[in-house]
Amino acid sequence: MATRALKSARLRRLRRAELSSDTLLLARQLIGHYVVHDHPQGRLVGRIVETEAYPPGDPACHAYIGPTARNASLFLRHGHAYVYFIYGTWFMLNVSSERAGQGAGVLLRALEPVAGLELMRRLRGVETPTELTRGPGRLAQALAIDRAQDGVDLCRPGPLWLAAGPGPTGEIGVSVRIGLTRAVEQPWRFYERGNPHVSGPLRLRR
DNA sequence: TCACTGATCGTCT
DNA sequence: GACGATCAGTGAG
């Protein structure tokens, strides 16, 4: 069982030097690595299976308008969390993705639940494994991510961090990004093909 | 499985 | 005052 194997194995924190500081490369590279939240009630771990890149100069990127109070974390050097609130209900977790002062990020769109599933079920209020972390709003809720994690350095000791994973198990698919009204044609979404935890319509999961 | 709709509130204009 | 990197529920094919 994946959960048991992970508990016996020791997770290794990803060093910043291992992470690309090119947004598109990082979005692809993050597939297969782990997000870990050491929550007071237990460790929550998910394996990244879907990302979207929001590179410098992208009109859909929140940093496009320049630095503001909300998007400040996107301008931190790569490897920091950018968490924002949207639609009055949901938080989204991103990883800053370029050098300091250059606003860009990678949105984590879906995870495969790996450890802490019982706590994830309580946080989400659902039972089905594929409904726990499929979609950016859901994964943030399942990992108890909120504004408190905005600006956190994911490469330093702390409750929220990135751990080295096994990498992609299958082929990485590429598609347009989901839910946008600007720059809709850019193929900047990356996902593990055929993985049932990937979000979006079927044609964007195959 | 897909398309459509309402909910909901922080952020920026 | 408008809008949004979403989700759950509903109804149709």
Side-chain angles (χ1 to χ4, degrees):
Chain A
M1 186 180 187
T3 303
R4 180 178 299 176
L6 194 70
K7 276 177 182 167
S8 56
R10 199 186 149 99
L11 290 174
R12 181 181 69 79
R13 188 182 309 278
L14 282 170
R15 296 184 296 274
R16 199 179 325 276
E18 295 177 83
L19 299 178
S20 175
S21 56
D22 176 286
T23 304
L24 289 170
L25 293 179
L26 181 64
R28 185 184 283 267
Q29 180 192 14
L30 285 175
I31 304 281
H33 286 308
Y34 296 121
V35 180
V36 183
H37 189 186
D38 287 314
H39 188 270
Q41 294 175 55
R43 171 168 284 186
L44 299 161
V45 184
R47 189 173 151 277
I48 300 168
V49 296
E50 181 185 355
T51 63
E52 278 178 358
Y54 291 85
D58 170 20
C61 180
H62 286 186
Y64 186 70
I65 58 174
T68 67
R70 175 171 81 148
N71 68 20
S73 300
L74 282 176
F75 292 83
L76 300 173
R77 63 176 173 161
H78 69 295
H80 287 76
Y82 165 52
V83 180
Y84 69 92
F85 184 66
I86 194 167
Y87 297 122
T89 318
W90 306 98
F91 290 99
M92 305 275 139
L93 174 60
N94 300 247
V95 180
S96 66
S97 56
E98 300 272 338
R99 68 177 194 272
Q102 179 84 277
V106 173
L107 171 68
L108 304 187
R109 283 199 56 93
L111 307 175
E112 179 175 325
V114 170
L117 272 71
E118 208 37 64
L119 180 52
M120 290 185 193
R121 288 190 182 96
R122 287 207 298 277
L123 289 163
R124 287 271 301 121
V126 300
E127 292 292 320
T128 318
T130 51
E131 289 182 7
L132 291 175
T133 51
R134 182 175 178 265
R138 291 162 167 171
L139 81 83
Q141 189 175 46
L143 263 63
I145 305 292
D146 61 25
R147 238 183 298 280
Q149 281 80 40
D150 184 38
V152 162
D153 188 344
L154 301 170
C155 300
R156 302 294 298 176
L160 185 65
W161 47 288
L162 293 170
T169 59
E171 205 178 327
I172 293 182
V174 181
S175 83
V176 295
R177 296 173 293 181
I178 292 177
L180 302 185
T181 56
R182 285 175 291 192
V184 295
E185 75 290 349
Q186 301 294 350
W188 289 339
R189 171 177 173 267
F190 303 92
Y191 60 99
E192 197 170 85
R193 287 184 117 175
N195 188 303
H197 297 92
V198 171
S199 76
L202 188 56
R203 69 178 188 281
L204 294 183
R205 286 182 261 146
R206 282 193 288 232

